[in-house]
Amino acid sequence: MRNTLNDAQRIEALWNRQKPDRVPLMLMAMGFSGLNVGYTIGDMYTDMQKRIDSKRWTSEQYGWYPSQTVSFSGTSFPAEEFGGQIKPPSSEFSQAPMVIRHAVEKEEDIYKLKIPDPLEKAGAIPKMLEGIAYAMKFDGLIIGPNCFGPMDTAGAVIGIERTCKWMMKKPELIHHAFRIFTDFKVNLAKLYADLFGTDRLIPQVGGPSHSNQIISPNHFEQFCFPYIKELHEKVREMGYKHFFFHCCGEQNANFPLWAKCEMGDPGIISVGHEIDLQRVAEYFPKDIAFGNLEPAIIQVGPPERIYEASKEIILKGKKILGGFIFSAGCELPPKAPPYHVWMMTKAINDFGWYDH
């Protein structure tokens, strides 16, 4: 019979750079959690109490560590804050809010951009603040504010295709926009720190739109890296202790630059299946690796494949000296079969224990 720690003690051990008794299991699973308890995916983006409660209850059911991601409009943030328009998920196949009108559609619109004042609580900000206040009543990590880099902000405000085109043809427009986006994220992090303190909040950094499936490593270095490095440093100076770095998609070529950015003491380095966990250990030896089961496997199965793939990742992750949290490589598919999801829990209980 093992003398086991609880989830909070396991995470606390990782923060202190110690090895827990077992690898923790933590998932990004907003849509799945909502459907699991009888809500809709749309509820996850319109009702913060339902969003947070459903994740708490689902974490209890499956044995996950109870984290909360309070980035209310996902990768469509901050479209509304800059004057655009989003549509919440409402159809059968919608999984998150989508931008239906960008604030920037013409070149001249770039120079009309103004830094939104977070104190005015425009767009999704009131909902996110409401969510943090409610999440503070319960145990678990609170992942926020959203400090994704400028490329993800550009996707919401300008549009990815237009941003990529102007990177090549009108680079001065992109630098002008990225300066504004970075200042906005710094102001947002300051608002969160002033209202809630920094002890329990973990800024979410990184983002999917910096992927080399979208931009080249050279463009990442030229356009994104300087603003990201500045953002991380300024946010860290506010007293935030740990960052949740979600390095979504194929970003192997960006890793040498990401490793030069402040990620906290330690940070959590979340990667998808495109990035090997050993690469995380190589570039972020003092940080906690997080991931990285391919979400598509969880959706389509079969269960035996999910179990074996989970086992392989867990055994690899246990060797990482900085610490490891088992998870899917990105958001859990909202309509994944529950038994498929439970196979991850079974695998962590079968193979996640450390030999001390």
Side-chain angles (χ1 to χ4, degrees):
M1 186 77 177
R2 291 186 174 97
N3 293 319
T4 61
L5 303 177
N6 60 37
D7 289 330
Q9 291 169 328
R10 289 179 181 126
I11 296 297
E12 187 64 27
L14 292 177
W15 287 153
N16 293 322
R17 303 184 187 280
Q18 298 171 354
K19 187 180 294 186
D21 60 339
R22 198 207 70 191
V23 173
L25 174 59
M26 187 169 99
L27 289 175
M28 297 176 279
M30 283 298 98
F32 178 86
S33 297
L35 295 176
N36 180 58
V37 303
Y39 298 145
T40 68
I41 294 177
D43 288 335
M44 301 299 96
Y45 297 95
T46 57
D47 189 316
M48 288 307 297
Q49 185 166 329
K50 287 183 178 180
R51 176 187 178 107
I52 289 163
D53 284 343
S54 63
K55 183 67 185 300
R56 288 194 303 113
W57 299 334
T58 302
S59 295
E60 180 182 26
Q61 176 185 357
Y62 283 92
W64 308 339
Y65 178 77
S67 63
Q68 296 287 349
T69 303
V70 195
S71 175
F72 194 69
S73 50
T75 54
S76 67
F77 178 78
E80 288 183 298
E81 288 71 13
F82 277 89
Q85 186 177 359
I86 69 172
K87 177 183 178 182
S90 56
S91 68
E92 179 183 357
F93 300 105
S94 298
Q95 297 186 15
M98 62 180 295
V99 180
I100 58 176
R101 181 177 59 81
H102 294 99
V104 173
E105 295 182 341
K106 303 182 295 293
E107 292 180 12
E108 53 265 33
D109 292 338
I110 287 283
Y111 295 106
K112 297 177 184 177
L113 287 175
K114 295 181 179 180
I115 302 171
D117 184 355
L119 289 173
E120 295 179 356
K121 299 179 177 62
I125 293 175
K127 287 288 187 183
M128 291 192 288
L129 298 180
E130 175 191 336
I132 291 175
Y134 186 65
M136 285 280 189
K137 298 178 181 181
F138 309 104
D139 294 333
L141 301 183
I142 302 174
I143 300 175
N146 180 320
C147 289
F148 276 175
M151 195 67 190
D152 284 280
T153 309
V157 179
I158 303 172
I160 289 295
E161 183 177 347
R162 191 178 292 120
T163 300
C164 291
K165 176 182 176 181
W166 288 348
M167 274 184 170
M168 293 182 287
K169 296 188 174 183
K170 300 280 184 176
E172 69 279 2
L173 295 179
I174 299 304
H175 281 295
H176 182 84
F178 281 15
R179 174 73 271 153
I180 291 173
F181 297 160
T182 302
D183 291 343
F184 168 68
K185 291 297 180 73
V186 170
N187 292 348
L188 184 68
K190 180 67 165 55
L191 173 65
Y192 279 51
D194 289 344
L195 290 177
F196 303 105
T198 57
D199 287 345
R200 291 193 58 196
L201 299 184
I202 301 180
Q204 186 175 26
V205 299
S209 300
H210 304 90
S211 166
N212 300 137
Q213 294 152 316
I214 297 175
I215 60 173
S216 71
N218 289 337
H219 278 153
F220 176 78
E221 181 174 12
Q222 177 185 348
F223 290 98
C224 304
F225 173 68
Y227 300 102
I228 290 170
K229 191 170 188 297
E230 175 191 339
L231 174 63
H232 287 208
E233 290 171 353
K234 287 183 175 179
V235 172
R236 186 81 161 93
E237 289 170 359
M238 296 175 193
Y240 290 99
K241 299 178 179 64
H242 314 286
F243 289 178
F244 183 87
F245 169 39
H246 184 44
C247 191
C248 195
E250 166 56 89
Q251 297 203 47
N252 282 284
N254 296 340
F255 246 48
L257 289 175
W258 278 120
K260 295 180 180 180
C261 296
E262 176 63 63
M263 295 297 177
D265 184 26
I268 296 176
I269 313 301
S270 164
V271 295
H273 68 279
E274 300 92 342
I275 298 176
D276 192 272
L277 289 176
Q278 187 55 47
R279 192 167 178 83
V280 178
E282 177 184 351
Y283 281 94
F284 297 91
K286 296 182 179 180
D287 296 304
I288 301 164
F290 181 101
N292 65 339
L293 181 64
E294 184 177 359
I297 294 177
I298 306 170
Q299 176 68 47
V300 302
E304 296 80 7
R305 183 186 179 200
I306 299 165
Y307 182 76
E308 289 301 321
S310 297
K311 173 185 176 180
E312 180 180 343
I313 292 168
I314 293 165
L315 294 180
K316 181 181 293 186
K318 286 169 64 176
K319 298 176 183 178
I320 296 176
L321 296 180
F324 174 61
I325 299 172
F326 179 47
S327 181
C330 197
E331 181 79 9
L332 190 68
K335 297 184 179 180
Y339 186 69
H340 288 190
V341 176
W342 184 80
M343 293 305 282
M344 298 178 68
T345 301
K346 177 174 171 56
I348 202 75
N349 284 326
D350 287 348
F351 306 107
W353 300 94
Y354 287 101
D355 297 322
H356 289 278

